Amino acid sequence: MPDPIQTVLVVDDEPHSVAAMRMALEDDFNVLEAANAEEAWRLMEDHWVQVLISDQRMPDKTGIELLTEVRDRWPETVRIIVTGYTETNDMIQAINDAGIYQFITKPWHPDQLLMAVRNATRLFSLARDHERITLEMRYLGNTASRKLEERRRIAQAGLGFDHVLRGPNSPLNATIGLARQYASFDVPVLITGEPGTGKTDMARAMHYGSLRADRPFFELNCAGLSDEVLAAELFGMKRGAVPGMAQTKVGLFQKADRGTLFLNGIDTLSDAMQIALLRIAQEGAFQPVGGHETLTTGVRLLTGSHCDLREKADDGVFRQDLYHALAVVELQVPPLRARGDDVAILAERFLHDIAQEHGKPVRGMAKPALDFLAGYDWPGNMPELRNEVTRMLILAQDMTLGPELISRHILQSGPKGATPVAGDVCRLEGTLKERVELMEMRILGETLTRLKWNKSKAATELGLSRVGLRAKLDRYGIEPHAAVSEED
């Protein structure tokens, strides 16, 4: 039975704009028209609308205002805005205020509009599937629940950029705003960022935000792989190409045909692998290891680099022609140290995921613990944060995890907003006496926090008397967190 035709509502006070959008969409969708927000609201009440497209500039109410109100009443409707504004700040504000799925800037092309609406209706269907699966899981037994959990995981992954965890004012919002636009265009994208910043999650979100969302997504980290292993993984291998190889191996370029392949760590590729990848990027052609026939692939290639690939290309370390073939557009994913407000959100999510995985009940993290985590630089980015949260969970004796569970080097960095000490003494300023006092103050704070403000234990560990410890605490004005009670 064919799927029912989906309904799209276009809102614009200019009749010729409405007519142009109708012409672009009417072959694929049931198109409703409104000249202002009031007419749009009435149509929303009378019809089941999957996608709402609104112009930003309208006389009675702006598009952002309309879409914000629609989100509150009909949150499942996917919202798109058409505007002449392209400033990043406007994009972030609109996304935060109205939960806008995508911006379409004027002048738009009919194919661009059609592609955006097709993606939006697919997102609507995935969200409905996810909702249905959630309800089903409440009533099914363990065997059925495991199968549905897999379907739910796929549905959640299909939600794309909504699956990338961040705060309302995160620096990542600007990157995601660009990624949403790039996702709809079937071109190679280079994603740069330090290891562990979430480049794979960004690539996966772009796949599920594209017209290839119903096709497979594969990813491979090239860093550390030899040319032989990498060639076999990417291009496949014919039976007998390697002694003991009993069967043909299918490579990722075949598996991901008409889907998306994300290759991370391409800055580590050898000259030979760069040439092989250039042929893929330019012609979509390759040969399996040990084979003589030329195969083709229609894969969309997304790549990731841990460093500035343009700089490596300028220095002659990376091929210029390959760089330009892979970097039609670029995305820069910020490191975790630049996302201070996101650390608490990520830590809480990691905690509950890990607790569920290991079957250990928790309530969450105390605010002082979150402040210490947010004050650290996280050179290892999200994997390091996840490891720290795992360690805290293992050591936890209470339902709420406190700062005393945090590793010493993180505690010595101080809570959010504190002057850094541990790990980089050279960053301190002032006289020698002032620097030593600051280090002493931080060590005192770290020791007492770790020992849950047991002053007897702290004095013994630091080689001080109780009186001497109290004098130093009074001198520096060090007091326990509100959530911690002092112990003798």
Side-chain angles (χ1 to χ4, degrees):
M1 181 177 178
D3 294 335
I5 189 168
Q6 293 175 302
T7 299
V8 179
L9 171 59
V10 296
V11 188
D12 198 318
D13 60 329
E14 297 182 5
H16 70 277
S17 295
V18 173
M21 283 191 277
R22 169 179 281 280
M23 288 182 63
L25 302 174
E26 61 184 357
D27 288 344
D28 292 64
F29 305 100
N30 175 34
V31 181
L32 304 176
E33 302 174 4
N36 52 55
E38 185 178 350
E39 288 183 19
W41 196 264
R42 287 200 298 268
L43 288 170
M44 289 291 295
E45 289 180 328
D46 294 338
H47 299 271
W48 189 38
V49 176
Q50 284 78 48
V51 181
L52 173 58
I53 308 172
S54 176
D55 186 49
Q56 165 64 357
R57 284 190 170 182
M58 294 188 293
D60 57 336
K61 190 174 291 185
T62 67
I64 293 175
E65 292 171 339
L66 170 62
L67 296 183
T68 302
E69 293 175 357
V70 167
R71 177 191 60 183
D72 296 337
R73 177 73 179 277
W74 296 281
E76 72 279 1
T77 298
V78 183
R79 298 165 295 280
I80 298 175
I81 196 164
V82 180
T83 177
Y85 298 108
T86 57
E87 290 83 4
T88 301
N89 288 338
D90 290 333
M91 293 170 63
I92 295 176
Q93 186 64 41
I95 290 171
N96 289 339
D97 288 350
I100 292 172
Y101 165 66
Q102 186 169 354
F103 272 82
I104 297 179
T105 55
K106 297 178 180 179
W108 48 267
H109 190 276
D111 290 343
Q112 177 193 8
L113 180 68
L114 181 59
M115 183 181 296
V117 175
R118 284 175 177 170
N119 285 341
T121 55
R122 182 176 290 112
L123 177 63
F124 179 91
S125 298
L126 285 167
R128 298 282 294 185
D129 286 345
H130 172 254
E131 193 175 322
R132 174 180 55 79
I133 291 169
T134 302
L135 290 173
E136 289 177 357
M137 286 189 66
R138 294 179 184 175
Y139 304 104
L140 295 179
N142 291 335
T143 303
S145 293
R146 283 194 295 270
K147 294 179 181 178
L148 287 170
E149 180 60 30
E150 177 64 13
R151 292 169 60 190
R152 181 183 181 187
R153 185 188 64 79
I154 295 171
Q156 285 178 324
L159 295 178
F161 297 103
D162 294 335
H163 192 61
V164 180
L165 200 62
R166 76 273 188 196
N169 298 312
S170 171
L172 198 60
N173 285 336
T175 302
I176 288 178
L178 291 174
R180 286 182 187 274
Q181 292 186 305
Y182 296 161
S184 299
F185 292 85
D186 209 14
V187 297
V189 180
L190 173 63
I191 307 173
T192 59
E194 296 176 8
T197 50
K199 296 188 291 295
T200 300
D201 288 341
M202 189 67 67
R204 184 180 291 107
M206 291 184 66
H207 168 73
Y208 285 107
S210 72
L211 287 178
R212 296 175 180 251
D214 58 343
R215 298 293 179 178
F217 172 84
F218 291 93
E219 59 94 10
L220 177 68
N221 193 339
C222 303
L225 298 181
S226 66
D227 282 5
E228 292 76 14
V229 172
L230 193 55
E233 290 293 329
L234 294 178
F235 311 128
M237 183 180 294
K238 288 296 184 181
R239 183 173 58 184
V242 175
M245 183 75 173
Q247 57 186 6
T248 298
K249 178 181 177 63
V250 179
L252 289 176
F253 282 119
Q254 280 182 276
K255 293 180 180 179
D257 187 27
R258 294 189 292 172
T260 304
L261 175 59
F262 174 59
L263 297 181
N264 203 359
I266 61 162
D267 48 298
T268 64
L269 293 180
S270 67
D271 292 341
M273 290 307 301
Q274 288 183 40
I275 293 173
L277 191 58
L278 178 63
R279 188 184 183 197
I280 288 282
Q282 291 179 337
E283 306 171 18
F286 65 96
Q287 286 182 323
V289 177
H292 300 289
E293 76 277 26
T294 297
L295 305 179
T296 59
T297 179
V299 69
R300 183 188 187 182
L301 195 56
L302 305 180
T303 52
S305 173
H306 303 322
C307 61
D308 188 342
L309 207 59
R310 179 190 293 273
E311 186 176 308
K312 295 193 82 169
D314 291 341
D315 293 342
V317 180
F318 196 85
R319 293 183 64 97
Q320 284 271 3
D321 48 3
L322 179 57
Y323 167 75
H324 291 296
L326 299 178
V328 176
V329 289
E330 293 188 50
L331 282 174
Q332 176 69 43
V333 181
L336 194 53
R337 63 179 171 274
R339 300 171 54 190
D341 292 340
D342 292 351
V343 171
I345 298 173
L346 290 165
E348 290 278 13
R349 170 61 68 83
F350 288 158
L351 175 61
H352 286 92
D353 288 349
I354 297 166
Q356 186 175 17
E357 178 184 342
H358 293 282
K360 185 173 182 177
V362 293
R363 190 176 293 117
M365 288 194 184
K367 187 179 185 306
L370 294 174
D371 288 341
F372 273 105
L373 294 178
Y376 182 59
D377 271 354
W378 301 108
N381 291 295
M382 285 189 283
E384 184 182 7
L385 174 60
R386 186 180 180 89
N387 289 348
E388 181 64 25
V389 173
T390 302
R391 176 185 172 278
M392 292 174 67
L393 177 69
I394 292 171
L395 298 176
Q397 300 297 318
D398 300 320
M399 292 287 287
T400 300
L401 279 59
E404 70 278 358
L405 300 171
I406 297 174
S407 298
R408 298 183 66 170
H409 67 285
I410 298 175
L411 288 176
Q412 289 177 1
S413 295
K416 185 178 180 181
T419 304
V421 175
D424 197 354
V425 177
C426 296
R427 290 168 60 185
L428 294 177
E429 297 179 355
T431 65
L432 176 60
K433 180 175 180 293
E434 290 170 339
R435 298 185 196 189
V436 170
E437 288 178 344
L438 186 56
M439 290 178 64
E440 186 177 55
M441 180 175 64
R442 195 60 53 76
I443 292 171
L444 287 168
E446 175 268 321
T447 303
L448 284 161
T449 299
R450 177 168 44 82
L451 297 177
K452 302 178 74 170
W453 278 80
N454 187 312
K455 293 180 181 177
S456 296
K457 291 183 178 179
T460 300
E461 180 176 315
L462 296 172
L464 299 171
S465 66
R466 283 293 305 272
V467 175
L469 176 61
R470 185 177 295 277
K472 288 183 179 292
L473 297 182
D474 292 341
R475 177 185 177 187
Y476 294 127
I478 299 175
E479 297 179 352
H481 298 291
V484 177
S485 60
E486 295 189 50
E487 298 180 26
D488 289 333

